[in-house]
Amino acid sequence: MNLDSLNLKRLRRKRQLKNDLEQILSTSAGMRFFDVLLRECHVTKPVFHSDEAKLRESEGRRRLAMSFLNLLAEDDPQQLINKIEQENQNE
């Protein structure tokens, strides 16, 4: 397999994952889950620790959640964060 076909496969897998995630988030249960995921991963509810190990763990969680946001929003996950925070305030 050449590099172009590997890149194409990777892009197709990424597109399929995005489609899967969008389908999950089209349900109210999916949105509730994603809201909790973002909060627990400290995206919509940041936390700070004096303990360096806990700080690294929090940053790892945050990066995982941000990878999903980046997949959904491509270059600007802040739009999705703003939408979720606004929905939380309206509840």
Side-chain angles (χ1 to χ4, degrees):
M1 248 182 210
N2 64 26
L3 187 57
D4 287 338
S5 63
L6 289 174
N7 285 336
L8 186 57
K9 272 184 139 178
R10 185 178 52 87
L11 289 172
R12 284 183 178 149
R13 280 194 308 265
K14 184 177 178 180
R15 181 67 204 165
Q16 184 59 53
L17 181 59
K18 181 177 181 173
N19 290 343
D20 293 345
L21 189 52
E22 287 172 341
Q23 184 175 1
I24 291 166
L25 293 176
S26 70
T27 68
S28 58
M31 282 302 291
R32 282 191 307 272
F33 174 82
F34 203 61
D35 178 51
V36 170
L37 175 76
L38 294 179
R39 255 186 288 118
E40 293 297 317
C41 291
H42 314 295
V43 173
T44 60
K45 182 183 169 191
V47 295
F48 300 96
H49 295 285
S50 57
D51 181 348
E52 191 174 323
K54 286 185 178 185
L55 185 61
R56 280 194 300 254
E57 178 187 347
S58 293
E59 182 59 20
R61 288 179 183 193
R62 186 181 161 285
R63 285 183 184 198
L64 173 65
M66 290 301 290
S67 70
F68 290 117
L69 287 174
N70 285 327
L71 182 64
L72 289 170
E74 296 299 330
D75 296 329
D76 190 10
Q78 190 61 46
Q79 289 178 349
L80 187 56
I81 292 170
N82 292 344
K83 180 180 176 188
I84 291 170
E85 287 176 338
Q86 184 177 9
E87 287 175 0
N88 288 341
Q89 290 173 358
N90 292 336
E91 289 179 356

